[in-house]
Amino acid sequence: DLSSSTLPSSGTALYVPDSSVARAITVAPSVSLHPASGFLVNFGTGRVYTDADLTSTTSDYLYGIWDNGSVSTSNLVTQTLTTRTVTSPAATVRTASNNAVNYSSTVKGWRIVLGSGERLIGGDTLTDSGRYTVTTTVPNSGAAQGAWLVEVTALTGAAPSAPFFDLNGDGAVKTDNSDRINIGSDSYIPMAKFLGAGVYSQPVLAQYSNTLD
């Protein structure tokens, strides 16, 4: 029932954010098993319902929350994003911090602060093989307008343990450093890639074989 902002008398809110970061959730969450017990709920915030929404630069968020009692913003670890440019072939990608998310009575999950005006809209999102995969959108005009394909570790919000973008354009995704961002002695796995202008649908999983999806 979307006509009221109050919960049914029998309901308990999983996540009660600080008022400064409370945002609309318009896309169904993705629910998977949590390795400790219960469930992990991955979701994001964002809306495009009014003209004002189109030009909003408000920060929205991606989340991964353990369904194990009520959760507040202070119970979440924040992962930060860094935008990087690849020159050959040209691409704009992001890396994420790898802050530890040690689940406990006080640590219940993670969040990512999206870019200015960026938000999660569209259809259902996807959690598979421990990865949370979504498309985020910046609907307002300007150089940043467009969409990002994002894939993070569902439990932590950090980059997956292996690359999933073909950064060097050789037609294959490899586990060596050829599809990573290499800066000095450091190597980073990109967890998002800018898709270009436009609004993209949420990703769909296609299974090519029993071992590859």
Side-chain angles (χ1 to χ4, degrees):
D1 181 3
L2 300 178
S3 63
S4 173
S5 61
T6 58
L7 289 166
S9 58
S10 59
T12 301
L14 168 63
Y15 174 50
V16 181
D18 295 345
S19 59
S20 62
V21 298
R23 303 287 187 268
I25 301 170
T26 61
V27 175
S30 179
V31 180
S32 56
L33 293 175
H34 193 285
S37 65
F39 298 95
L40 176 70
V41 183
N42 291 107
F43 62 96
T45 66
R47 51 175 277 174
V48 183
Y49 289 153
T50 68
D51 289 342
D53 290 340
L54 289 173
T55 57
S56 172
T57 56
T58 298
S59 294
D60 278 287
Y61 303 87
L62 297 180
Y63 290 97
I65 294 180
W66 184 19
D67 187 2
N68 183 39
S70 184
V71 180
S72 65
T73 304
S74 63
N75 299 130
L76 303 178
V77 174
T78 298
Q79 305 290 11
T80 57
L81 302 179
T82 301
T83 300
R84 305 180 187 275
T85 300
V86 178
T87 57
S88 182
T92 302
V93 299
R94 284 173 174 162
T95 56
S97 61
N98 190 23
N99 297 321
V101 183
N102 299 315
Y103 285 91
S104 65
S105 60
T106 57
V107 178
K108 298 293 187 70
W110 56 269
R111 70 172 187 162
I112 288 174
V113 184
L114 296 174
S116 176
E118 184 180 357
R119 78 279 314 258
L120 184 65
I121 55 176
D124 295 341
T125 56
L126 173 68
T127 301
D128 179 73
S129 301
R131 300 166 295 174
Y132 181 50
T133 308
V134 300
T135 302
T136 60
T137 300
V138 183
N140 49 299
S141 61
Q145 194 282 325
W148 291 83
L149 177 60
V150 179
E151 183 170 284
V152 296
T153 302
L155 274 173
T156 66
S161 58
F164 65 100
F165 291 123
D166 176 20
L167 283 192
N168 65 2
D170 66 355
V173 178
K174 299 176 181 177
T175 57
D176 61 17
N177 284 350
S178 61
D179 286 321
R180 301 175 186 238
I181 301 293
N182 301 296
I183 302 175
S185 60
D186 296 322
S187 178
Y188 303 91
I189 296 175
M191 43 66 65
K193 183 178 181 181
F194 187 63
L195 299 177
V199 177
Y200 288 70
S201 64
Q202 291 301 324
V204 176
L205 177 67
Q207 185 169 13
Y208 291 95
S209 69
N210 291 333
T211 59
L212 180 64
D213 58 39

